Amino acid sequence: MRGAKSAKWVAIAAVVALGATACGGGSDKGDSKAAIDPNGKFSVEVGEPQNPLQPANTMESNGSIVIKSLFSGLVDYDSNGKIVMVNAQSIDTTDSKTFTVKLKPGWTFHDGTPVTATSYVKAWNWAANPANKQTNSAWFADIQGYSDVAPESGKAKATEMSGLKVVDDNTFTITLAKPIPYFVYKLGYEVFDPLPESFYKDPKAAGEHPIGNGPYKFVKWDHKKQIEVAKYDGYKGPNAAKNGGVIFKNYAKLETAYQDLKSGNLDVMRQVAPRDLPVYKADLGDRAVHQAYSAIQSIAVAYYTPQWKNIDPRVLQGLSMAIDRDTITKTVLQGTREPATGWVAKGVLGYTPNAAGDITKYDPAKAKELIKAGGGVPGNKISIQFNADGGHKEWVEAVCGSITKATGVACTGDSKPDFQADTNARDAHQVKSLYRSGWVLDYPFISNFIRDLFGSKADGNQGGFKSKEVDDLIAKADAAKTLEESEKLYQQIEKDLPKYMPSIPLWYYKVNAGYSEKVSGVKYAQDGDPILTGVQVKK
């Protein structure tokens, strides 16, 4: 998605691919006079993707930014959250249960083969099949017949979802198990991208050398070093590249990337490390970026551990009220974050201020009282897992210090070397206590921050939070007759979440980044990523 960052785990502490309508970053004074090289390539700071580059196998920001450069889906969103047709010509429904999708004709994959209705239907069926071990397979659970392909227990009854039907080369239908008023919004997430026929001959190899239908085509992947993509001249989408390609450079530390940016060895950063926040605006001038985007940082709970398995929510309420968000965001994070007052990021349809009530307000006395009333923190000590390559060490230490000072609970950081190691530990249920969780929108509707994180069967629910009451409320919101009614019901769920404490909200993200003198036209999208296709390279 170019317009609202597809939902995923955020690797970096500060953040960031919508269309050309997204809000801007720094200004480009004098750029109008600079000669532009339409074939010039530029570099972007990233980390190593966790998984092979398969659209349904990416749930973190390092892989997502690459996938979105290589693939285009049916729809995207503009900066106001309005749906924009990309590969789809139209998506029609009269009942929010059956949808007719018509594709724009003439689209091709990078190998020259046509993008057809079968390209979508076959890709979705493959991704939904548990045998193919795609991390986002549950995203297809809304479609009729998913439970036959991926049953909760027992053997599968089918290999294809009954709710998907190819009508002709450019038309297919989607029938859901139950009506969902916001389903078209979900189709902007990259899990719903199409795949070429060549993919199925060797899916593993295709993940190392992907063939997509997006504005860029794959060139090469030097693991732990860089990924290179080049402009696809045959691209027919609305966001054709204004440059010759992108080099995604792998950095183990944001501080190193920033030094490269200043010296001209890196062109675009997604986020500046806390150490450099006090100076980056002075260093970069008009090339410094400071803007909000739709993402939230939280402390997630590993509910599968003995420590939290049967915890009283009041203990987590108390830990939340022991965190001095105002001071930490103003000092350690240099005013680049805004204290969160709920679980849903700003800029998302359904966001409401102060949804969490008092539990995000700093109150040491109340924090102690709640922890004691809830039976105390087991072992009277906690740890917060984080990735060392994302600029998180400073704020984790500050949060731990705040908790310990306010409550006496011992708190330490549990550092993993990089984001890949961090997410692998989460997937393997190896988190020892708590972990830092950054979530950026997949689509701009409130359900993405509630159902897709706290539903008991959601792929994003890595901590194992389970509540039948919350699941039932989510089902009720999904069954609403209109988008507006669904939004109101989800807003009520968020207001009820303090009773359950699926996680501890910390702060809303902002993009604090910058770019080199070599490039112009650098803008950042609602999901915090730079809009790669709009970047221009100077001669």
Side-chain angles (χ1 to χ4, degrees), residues 152-187:
E152 291 185 36
S153 60
K155 293 184 178 179
K157 299 177 183 178
T159 57
E160 297 180 353
M161 291 177 282
S162 58
L164 298 177
K165 301 291 183 184
V166 173
V167 178
D168 56 42
D169 281 353
N170 291 316
T171 311
F172 67 100
T173 59
I174 308 166
T175 301
L176 307 182
K178 299 176 182 178
I180 296 180
Y182 58 86
F183 182 73
V184 176
Y185 277 88
K186 299 185 71 171
L187 293 175

Side-chain angles (χ1 to χ4, degrees), residues 262-461:
K262 290 198 298 180
S263 63
N265 293 317
L266 174 68
D267 296 314
V268 179
M269 282 196 73
R270 297 180 296 167
Q271 188 59 44
V272 173
R275 189 191 74 179
D276 298 311
L277 289 174
V279 298
Y280 88 104
K281 290 181 181 179
D283 287 346
L284 302 178
D286 289 339
R287 294 179 287 110
V289 177
H290 176 86
Q291 73 175 59
Y293 76 103
S294 297
I296 187 169
Q297 184 88 273
S298 303
I299 295 175
V301 184
Y303 274 103
Y304 51 79
T305 62
Q307 182 173 37
W308 304 115
K309 201 160 192 177
N310 297 303
I311 200 69
D312 187 314
R314 288 177 292 182
V315 173
L316 294 164
Q317 291 172 359
L319 291 175
S320 178
M321 297 188 76
I323 300 170
D324 189 350
R325 294 166 178 78
D326 286 335
T327 298
I328 294 170
T329 54
K330 287 174 183 175
T331 57
V332 178
L333 294 171
Q334 296 288 316
T336 61
R337 302 292 182 280
E338 180 182 346
T341 60
W343 283 266
V344 178
K346 286 191 166 184
V348 172
L349 184 61
Y351 163 81
T352 50
N354 303 313
D358 291 337
I359 67 107
T360 57
K361 296 177 181 177
Y362 180 56
D363 188 335
K366 185 67 173 177
K368 282 184 186 177
E369 179 185 319
L370 284 167
I371 291 173
K372 183 178 180 180
V377 173
N380 204 41
K381 62 181 179 179
I382 58 176
S383 63
I384 303 173
Q385 179 179 299
F386 67 96
N387 52 303
D389 63 343
H392 301 289
K393 181 174 183 288
E394 291 85 352
W395 71 254
V396 168
E397 289 178 346
V399 166
C400 274
S402 182
I403 289 173
T404 300
K405 182 179 180 181
T407 68
V409 175
C411 179
T412 57
D414 181 9
S415 176
K416 300 299 178 186
D418 54 34
F419 195 40
Q420 188 178 38
D422 177 33
T423 50
N424 284 342
R426 299 189 214 172
D427 290 344
H429 281 191
Q430 293 174 347
V431 176
K432 299 170 186 173
S433 179
L434 305 168
Y435 61 94
R436 78 109 209 144
S437 167
W439 188 256
V440 60
L441 83 170
D442 295 310
Y443 56 95
F445 188 68
I446 184 173
S447 60
N448 187 221
F449 286 80
I450 296 179
R451 171 184 167 171
D452 297 326
L453 280 177
F454 308 135
S456 61
K457 298 176 184 177
D459 288 328
N461 186 355

Side-chain angles (χ1 to χ4, degrees), residues 73-96:
L74 297 170
V75 303
D76 202 346
Y77 322 100
D78 66 18
S79 57
N80 296 314
K82 181 182 177 182
I83 291 173
V84 176
M85 296 294 153
V86 182
N87 196 183
Q89 185 166 284
S90 62
I91 303 176
D92 297 318
T93 184
T94 58
D95 58 4
S96 296

Side-chain angles (χ1 to χ4, degrees), residues 225-241:
K225 294 181 180 179
Q226 66 181 41
I227 297 172
E228 183 178 354
V229 302
K231 178 181 179 179
Y232 177 48
D233 291 328
Y235 183 64
K236 296 185 179 298
N239 53 326

